[in-house]
Amino acid sequence: MVVRQKHYRDQLFIANKIISHHVEELQEINKQLERASGARDRFVVQASHELRTPLTSLRGIEQLTLRRLVREPHCLQTTPFCQQI
């Protein structure tokens, strides 16, 4: 009986060591994922800003062009730039 208990105790000790090792691995992976998530968030913010800036300019050009077309509909036939729109 004592031999069996020692055997079970040894198996529990080994199992606990294995579990502790896996916990440490998972904690390290979790830290890596948190860093990757932070990098992704920073990239999305930067990319969003970089895309928004030229899009704002294009919207402004579009609005000016549309206003001009409303005021001067004949420019559609006479101006090469307007014909490409």
Side-chain angles (χ1 to χ4, degrees), residues 40-54:
R40 182 204 59 218
D41 291 345
R42 287 187 299 279
F43 170 78
V44 168
V45 167
Q46 184 68 26
S48 174
H49 172 74
E50 294 297 326
L51 290 171
R52 208 174 314 126
T53 301

Side-chain angles (χ1 to χ4, degrees), residues 20-48:
S20 293
H21 178 71
H22 287 303
V23 166
E24 289 172 6
E25 286 179 336
L26 290 171
Q27 288 172 336
E28 180 59 34
I29 290 169
N30 192 42
K31 288 177 188 176
Q32 292 172 2
L33 289 171
E34 287 174 356
R35 287 192 297 269
S37 178
R40 182 204 59 218
D41 291 345
R42 287 187 299 279
F43 170 78
V44 168
V45 167
Q46 184 68 26
S48 174

Side-chain angles (χ1 to χ4, degrees), residues 7-84:
H7 175 72
Y8 289 140
R9 213 174 296 136
D10 290 345
Q11 284 183 330
L12 275 175
F13 180 78
I14 292 169
N16 280 334
K17 278 211 169 269
I18 291 170
I19 290 171
S20 293
H21 178 71
H22 287 303
V23 166
E24 289 172 6
E25 286 179 336
L26 290 171
Q27 288 172 336
E28 180 59 34
I29 290 169
N30 192 42
K31 288 177 188 176
Q32 292 172 2
L33 289 171
E34 287 174 356
R35 287 192 297 269
S37 178
R40 182 204 59 218
D41 291 345
R42 287 187 299 279
F43 170 78
V44 168
V45 167
Q46 184 68 26
S48 174
H49 172 74
E50 294 297 326
L51 290 171
R52 208 174 314 126
T53 301
L55 287 176
T56 300
S57 299
L58 290 173
R59 282 190 195 126
I61 292 169
E62 173 196 27
Q63 288 175 354
L64 291 173
T65 303
L66 289 174
R67 285 181 194 158
R68 181 174 178 203
L69 287 174
V70 168
R71 281 188 317 229
E72 305 172 35
H74 66 279
C75 83
L76 195 56
Q77 289 113 9
T78 60
T79 308
F81 174 75
C82 291
Q83 289 174 349
Q84 295 174 9

